[in-house]
Amino acid sequence: MSEPLTFFEQVNRNFDKAAAFTSHPPGILEQIKQINNVIHFVFPIKRDDGSIEVIHGWRAEHSHHRLPTKGGIRYAMTVSEDEVMALAALMTYKCAIVNVPFGGAKGGVRIAAHAYSAAELERITRRYTFELFKKNFIGPGLDVPAPDFGTGPREMAWIADTYSTLAPHDINALGCVTAKPVSEGGIDGRIEATGRGVFYGLREVCSITEDMRALGLTPGLEGKRVVVQGLGNVGYHAAKFLQEEGGAVIVGATEHEGAIAKPSGLKVEALMAHRRETGSILGFEGATDLANRDLGLEIDCDILVPAALENAITMDNAPRIKAKIIAEAANGPTGSEASDFFFERGIMVLPDAYVNAGGVTVSYFEWLKNLEHVRFGRLEKRFTEQSGRRLLTAIEHATGRAFSEHEISSIARGADEIDLVNSGLEETMIESYHGIREIFKRGGGAYDLRAASMIAAIEKIALAYADRGIFP
Ligand code: NAD
């Protein structure tokens, strides 16, 4: 029996499959595929009890065709060189798919974050940042990390502070990392951006009547039955917006501790409150606890949203999955054989590189904000509002009809930062989907949406190499 493919080999297998449908020179395709830089560092940290622990960290920069490179930092025991390389490559393709002008990168520290105190995590994060700095692997124009599994705004604030301390003359220092707290140069809407992007993507997918008919579904997100695996940052927000803004019914959820089902629909906020109180999603009122967490993926539903870790769906469970649409909110949740299996059976897999690109899209907006040194909307909000009010007053005079204050304030409204961020994200998710779908249609059934999104990425990256030429 042949060895299973590593995660990076799986990503490259997908790349090769897609590249076969393009006509770029083999040398350019090889250059796009390879990791440009990868670094492994080992450093000691002091535990709270005074003992010393040796920590392993990695950072991979996959493609320098655009700078800075961009990608999250993961804290998990599964972190390895292969994993960061695979995730960095996915970042390159993801950025290209959604027209974010960055190369891809990814970092990781091999720790179980929950086994460390906040003070220990701060020491690990600052030392990791220092190692990146020492090796020229961080900077607003070089390589810009973000959160991933096991990290969040708190870690990003530590990174920004460490980098600013080390580079006091860099006026753009805050742009060295994204998804910072808003008080530390972050942007409104970043925390929920990946989950919100999953929602915008699925809403657009479900709005196309022809495609829904082909899946045996009715058009529209309203009433669609959804199961979410992993109620972390991405999974929770995806579930929340799918339910609250899309009218979808969350019929099941899985977490570390188990899985629950409720065909009539779980209230996401109530479920999260229950988990905060009891430490578990199990025992939630009106829901059935399943025998184990993996059974959650097999609940009867229209849309499955794996939002935990990679390889959640393999040939071991793929044949039992009932969803018609699988939206890869996590990175790499579907093994490549399982992905082929779904394609053959006409099940739609919305690839990770597209559907979870909301985070990097809004990170791009945050980076722009940091370089601009001004909050989006600050200059024009009042001006737009006053122009609208003057226009409405002119209409009142011309027609003799007075608008109510409610009408005035909803029509003559200047955009806040969050309005602009969500609008930019919505536009990105909709526009990118149609780009991928067009390539998919062109294939006439020869390849799936994953290959179509990869072809879209390859075309854009190859064009960058062709236009710039190769140094020297
Ligand atoms: P997170 O740590 O906030 O959440 C992950 C959740 O999954 C946790 O609640 C965890 O308990 C749960 N989980 C772990 N193993 C599980 C299992 N076997 N079954 C069910 N639940 C399980 O991480 P996140 O930021 O939400 O990232 C989740 C995935 O999304 C990762 O693959 C990440 O690479 C990807 N992603 C994240 C972002 C982002 O902006 N945070 C952006 C793009 C992609």
Side-chain angles (χ1 to χ4, degrees), residues 74 87 94 106 147-150 190 194 229-235 254-256 275 293-294 307-310 329-331 356 359:
R74 172 174 291 197
L87 293 167
K94 185 181 301 187
K106 204 78 177 193
D148 192 82
F149 191 89
R190 174 59 184 88
T194 306
Q229 181 205 30
L231 292 170
N233 180 20
V234 178
T254 87
E255 248 300 335
H256 204 65
R275 189 168 192 243
R293 69 182 178 204
D294 296 333
L309 277 177
E310 57 263 16
N331 284 313
N356 72 28

Side-chain angles (χ1 to χ4, degrees), residues 142-353:
L142 282 179
D143 188 349
V144 181
D148 192 82
F149 191 89
T151 59
R154 176 182 69 169
E155 285 75 16
M156 302 307 113
W158 290 333
I159 293 173
D161 183 62
T162 307
Y163 179 84
S164 311
T165 308
L166 296 168
H169 302 300
D170 186 346
I171 194 175
N172 293 321
L174 278 181
C176 76
V177 66
T178 58
K180 301 175 289 289
V182 176
S183 60
E184 295 301 318
I187 195 165
D188 277 334
R190 174 59 184 88
I191 292 175
E192 64 269 36
T194 306
R196 185 172 268 290
V198 171
F199 158 60
Y200 287 144
L202 275 171
R203 192 189 59 187
E204 192 59 20
V205 167
C206 291
S207 73
I208 303 173
T209 306
E210 176 195 343
D211 296 358
M212 289 302 103
R213 290 231 170 97
L215 292 170
L217 297 172
T218 52
L221 191 53
E222 180 101 31
K224 290 274 179 302
R225 297 166 308 145
V226 177
V227 169
V228 179
Q229 181 205 30
L231 292 170
N233 180 20
V234 178
Y236 156 64
H237 285 110
K240 175 184 167 70
F241 297 125
L242 284 165
Q243 178 174 75
E244 292 176 2
E245 296 185 28
V249 184
I250 311 297
V251 295
T254 87
E255 248 300 335
H256 204 65
E257 61 275 10
I260 57 170
K262 189 178 177 197
S264 62
L266 302 156
K267 288 265 173 288
V268 176
E269 289 301 344
L271 176 61
M272 295 306 284
H274 169 80
R275 189 168 192 243
R276 273 193 301 276
E277 255 167 52
T278 66
S280 171
I281 58 168
L282 299 172
F284 183 59
E285 204 188 332
T288 312
D289 293 346
L290 305 188
N292 69 62
R293 69 182 178 204
D294 296 333
L295 287 177
L297 300 173
E298 299 168 22
I299 295 171
D300 189 17
C301 64
D302 302 314
I303 303 173
L304 174 62
V305 181
L309 277 177
E310 57 263 16
N311 278 324
I313 304 170
T314 63
M315 284 312 291
D316 290 340
N317 56 358
R320 294 190 301 278
I321 285 177
K322 300 176 189 70
K324 298 282 182 351
I325 301 174
I326 298 171
E328 296 188 322
N331 284 313
T334 317
S336 51
E337 282 178 65
S339 207
D340 293 346
F341 171 84
F342 291 134
F343 181 49
E344 281 156 21
R345 274 162 186 70
I347 292 167
M348 177 188 270
V349 178
L350 272 181
D352 43 10

